[in-house]
Every structure is written in structure tokens, then in C-alpha cells.
Amino acid sequence: MIQFDTFKGVISTVQMFKTKILPAVLLAAVAVLIGACGGGTASNAITNGVDPNETAATVNGKVIKFEEVERAVKQQARGEESKLSPLELAGARLQVLQGLIEQEVMYQKAEKEGVVPKDEDVAAEVNKQKVESRLSAEEFDRQMKAAGLDEASFRENVKKGMAIKNLVDKVTGRIETPKETEIEAFFKGNPELFKRKRGVRLAAIVVDPSNSGQGDTTTNEAEADLKIKEILGKLQLPGSDFAALAREYSEDPSRFQGGDLGFLSEDDLKASYPQLAAGFMNPEFSVGRITNVVPINGRGYIFKLQERVEKEENLTLDSPQVRPQINELLVNNRKQLLAASYQAIAMNEAKVENYLAQKVVENPNELSGARPAAPANTNAAPADTANTNGSAANANTPANTNSAAANKPAVNANAGNAANANR
């Protein structure tokens, strides 16, 4: 199905609320360009010489303090904000602040519409998130503090997220079911969407040994190994439910769909999982079969083959799921457009004072584009041992895999001839 990226600002905030990203419930999903920054040095002072109690912006008189912006930037940069140049840091702050402004506007709308959740509902959601994080109380508190939150501020963030979701649900609740003529017109106007190509539908349980700082239950290789063994053991039990285990154990957003990764054409499969394509397309690899753990980009994947289409076919309106899919597509995109339009009007009606942006306008030449110097790498490999991929160890590693995960128990490199049939 087609996905249109219509949501912005608060819509991203609602999506983050739905996916339960622990330290970032309050934040809008802001694309801060930090990927090029390397790792390595201790972080400098968060505020970089700015008073954390200073007002960054106001929304209808409600103050957003600079400390809220810095907390959000730190979360987005995962502690690497000291590696940003002053110019990059200013850009990150402005983007994060815009998300906080949009969120505050919509929260105030939620208050006016009377859709702010009751205290008992907020408490229930907080407890639910803590349980679903599968963290101990101590580890949950530690990660909360690392994100600059305490119990009260975390609860307030959850409350705002719930209120905004309630508001969006109320606003978009007026969307009606598309008429049959609309469904037929969409089908005729988008014939390329209804060509069923050769490919597979996959589900996966993903274990990430890295510490993402977002409520991960595995933060190193040893913890990931133990978790993988536990999952594989449960998959071998009679009556085991792959989707339920994905929702419980997977460390990937697909867990909210029971691990469903959707349908991948054969070309998409080769592009995404080149080492697995031949195996999944092999008729001898039966539908419903589950692989052992497969290392991909440093993460461990346990796949389930849910469906395989071995020849192309053109679907019709009478094909199963075609009408429901068109209906869902039209309804969802109308909801997205309506919610984005509602937010745009709310922003126009709000009185917003962005003092951070004013400072940039007043002092545009004070922001250096130079990043702090990176420390020397004393562990660099000798020049004659490195290959074009970065190290000799990677010489035979497939492009989309990561050798760091190769020490996982019973790893398979090919789904067709090395996978375990756990089902």
C-alpha cells in the first residue's frame, strides 16, 4: 500500500507516542542532521553558555524554557551534541523548538476541546509503558534521568501525548467511509498498485545489541545472545505465536504490527536482504517456516516467511483485500490531510513568540560552521591491513550485513539452506 508523508509536527509527536519511545514521549520527530558526527569525546555543558531557565519561546503566553530545547537536542543527538558545530547546533535547536511549539499549540487545543485524559488514565498509561519497556524499575529510572526527566515530567509528557492523540482522533473522526464509486475510480486510476509481483511477505523479531538509549532491553552482545536464545526456545514450543513474541521481544517498530515487515517484491528483497533472497524465493523453503537468527547491520533478525508469490498477476476489485486496502488508504490519507490542516490553522491562530529564532536573526554571523576537532584514534588499524570497506575483517562480509553480529548463536547466512524450521 502507498504511504503519503503528509503528517508533520504534532502528527509525528502522536506517532512517537504510539510507538512508546521512552525518553522522547514529549518530542516531535525532528530530523536533526547529526549522522555525520563521529563518536568519542565527553559532552560539554548542555546549555553551551545559555541560561537553561531563559525563555526560548512562548505559545499564547505559555513559556517554553531553553532547558526543554536542550533536553530534546541531547536526546536527538544521543549525547553527541558536543560534536556539532555552533551552526549545526543552532539549527538543531530551532528545529526541536519548532516541534515543541507545535506540540504546545495542539495541547492547548486539546485542553479547549476537553480531551485531556484523566489522572487515572495517565497513570495507567505510564504503568503500561513501564511494563512494555521490560526494564527494571531502577533501569527505567536511570534512562529517564539520562533523558533529563523525572517521574513528574515523564508523567506530564505522557499526558500531553495522550491529549494530542485524543484531539487528532476527535478531529479526524468526521472522515466517512469512501463511496464505492471512489474506490472504483481509485482502482482504475492506479493500475500499477494492483499488479502482484513475485516476492514474499515477511515478519521478523529483531534484537539490537547496541544501546540506543530508547528503552532497549539489550545493550551489548552478551545480553543480545541471551535474549535470542530465549526467543528461539519459545518459538520451538508447541503453539507458539510468532506475532505475540514479536510484540513482546522485538526491538524494532515493526513489533507493533506483530513483526510484519509487509510485502517485498523479489527486487526489493534482493535490495534489502541480498543474502536471503534466493532462499526465501526457493519453493523448498516452506511458507510459515522460521529462520534462525540472521545478522544484518549489527542486529539479529529472526524471520518468518508469511507468504510467497511465485508469479506475477494482476489483481481485480474482486480480489481479496483490494477493496479494504483502498478504503484504508483513502481514509488514512484524508485523516492525515485533515489533521495537518487543523494543525496549520491552530498555528495561525496561536500567538507565538520564538525568541531563539530572533537571536539568530539578530546575530547571524556569530555561528561558526567548524566542528570541534575529533580526538586522535589510537586504535586505528595499520594501513596495510585495511581494505576498501574499512578493515580486513570485512573483506568477505556481504554489503548489507555487519560482522559484529556474526558471533550470535547459530547464525544463518542463507535462509534457504541454513534456516531452522522452528515451526
Side-chain angles (χ1 to χ4, degrees):
M1 292 176 57
I2 297 179
Q3 297 295 331
F4 295 99
D5 295 327
T6 309
F7 277 148
K8 292 183 178 180
V10 70
I11 311 305
S12 296
T13 303
V14 172
Q15 185 59 38
M16 293 191 77
F17 169 76
K18 289 181 178 178
T19 55
K20 310 294 191 300
I21 298 178
L22 172 60
V25 177
L26 177 60
L27 309 182
V30 180
V32 182
L33 301 179
I34 61 172
C37 302
T41 62
S43 174
N44 60 4
I46 296 177
T47 55
N48 198 23
V50 180
D51 182 0
N53 290 315
E54 184 178 345
T55 298
T58 60
V59 177
N60 296 321
K62 175 67 167 53
V63 171
I64 298 176
K65 293 184 178 180
F66 195 87
E67 64 179 347
E68 297 178 60
V69 177
E70 292 302 273
R71 182 192 303 143
V73 170
K74 184 178 180 181
Q75 170 61 30
Q76 293 285 342
R78 295 185 182 179
E80 300 294 321
E81 68 278 359
S82 63
K83 311 218 177 25
L84 297 173
S85 71
L87 191 63
E88 291 169 326
L89 186 57
R93 286 169 172 163
L94 285 172
Q95 287 182 325
V96 165
L97 178 57
Q98 183 62 28
L100 293 173
I101 289 171
E102 291 171 350
Q103 185 189 38
E104 181 58 34
V105 167
M106 292 298 278
Y107 180 69
Q108 290 182 18
K109 278 288 187 180
E111 289 180 314
K112 291 181 180 179
E113 291 292 328
V115 293
V116 175
K118 298 178 181 178
D119 290 344
E120 55 266 32
D121 294 329
V122 175
E125 178 61 32
V126 167
N127 291 334
K128 179 183 176 183
Q129 291 196 26
K130 288 182 176 181
V131 170
E132 290 182 350
S133 75
R134 300 182 69 245
L135 297 174
S136 66
E138 293 76 14
E139 178 62 16
F140 191 95
D141 288 342
R142 187 190 69 77
Q143 292 204 13
M144 218 169 32
K145 290 178 181 177
L149 301 170
D150 55 23
E151 184 71 24
S153 58
F154 177 68
R155 186 179 296 268
E156 182 66 17
N157 296 347
V158 171
K159 178 181 178 180
K160 286 187 175 183
M162 293 177 70
I164 292 171
K165 179 183 180 300
N166 291 344
L167 175 64
V168 172
D169 288 345
K170 181 178 181 179
V171 170
T172 60
R174 298 186 291 112
I175 297 297
E176 299 176 351
T177 301
K179 298 180 176 64
E180 181 63 23
T181 53
E182 294 178 87
I183 293 176
E184 292 175 356
F186 185 90
F187 180 83
K188 291 178 181 178
N190 298 274
E192 72 284 354
L193 298 181
F194 305 102
K195 292 180 180 179
R196 193 174 174 91
K197 298 182 178 181
R198 274 174 52 86
V200 296
R201 179 175 293 278
L202 297 175
I205 298 174
V206 183
V207 177
D208 186 355
S210 65
N211 184 1
S212 70
Q214 295 181 344
D216 274 357
T217 58
T218 56
T219 58
N220 55 55
E221 292 286 340
E223 292 176 355
D225 287 345
L226 289 174
K227 185 173 183 178
I228 287 169
K229 290 176 181 177
E230 181 182 357
I231 296 169
L232 291 175
K234 290 191 173 184
L235 284 170
Q236 293 173 351
L237 296 175
S240 65
D241 186 332
F242 189 93
L245 290 172
R247 282 189 286 267
E248 181 179 359
Y249 288 101
S250 185
E251 298 178 68
D252 183 81
S254 62
R255 67 185 181 276
F256 298 106
Q257 290 78 46
D260 185 24
L261 300 178
F263 184 85
L264 291 86
S265 69
E266 188 172 19
D267 290 339
D268 291 338
L269 187 62
K270 289 178 180 178
S272 300
Y273 310 110
Q275 72 275 44
L276 305 174
F280 282 133
M281 291 306 301
N282 188 338
E284 295 182 2
F285 191 85
S286 59
V287 173
R289 193 172 176 181
I290 298 171
T291 72
N292 206 323
V293 61
V294 182
I296 300 175
N297 293 332
R299 307 167 88 199
Y301 285 71
I302 300 171
F303 290 101
K304 180 179 180 180
L305 178 60
Q306 302 193 98
E307 180 188 9
R308 179 171 48 241
V309 176
E310 298 186 14
K311 63 178 182 179
E312 293 188 4
E313 61 176 315
N314 292 324
L315 301 177
T316 70
L317 268 174
D318 294 325
S319 299
Q321 299 303 314
V322 168
R323 276 187 171 84
Q325 286 181 359
I326 296 175
N327 181 78
E328 181 181 6
L329 178 68
L330 293 174
V331 168
N332 286 344
N333 284 292
R334 285 172 179 171
K335 285 184 176 182
Q336 290 175 355
L337 184 60
L338 175 57
S341 300
Y342 182 90
Q343 180 191 353
I345 293 173
M347 289 293 295
N348 287 338
E349 293 175 347
K351 179 175 175 54
V352 176
E353 295 284 348
N354 189 325
Y355 299 109
L356 193 58
Q358 290 178 14
K359 284 189 175 183
V360 173
V361 172
E362 293 167 0
N363 303 283
N365 298 311
E366 294 184 6
L367 300 171
S368 169
R371 289 178 178 154
N377 185 357
T378 58
N379 296 321
D384 58 353
T385 66
N387 62 21
T388 57
N389 290 325
S391 70
N394 290 330
N396 298 315
T397 304
N400 285 345
T401 64
N402 187 311
S403 59
N407 294 323
K408 299 286 186 185
V411 169
N412 292 318
N414 185 291
N417 54 28
N420 286 347
N422 290 317
R423 208 67 254 109

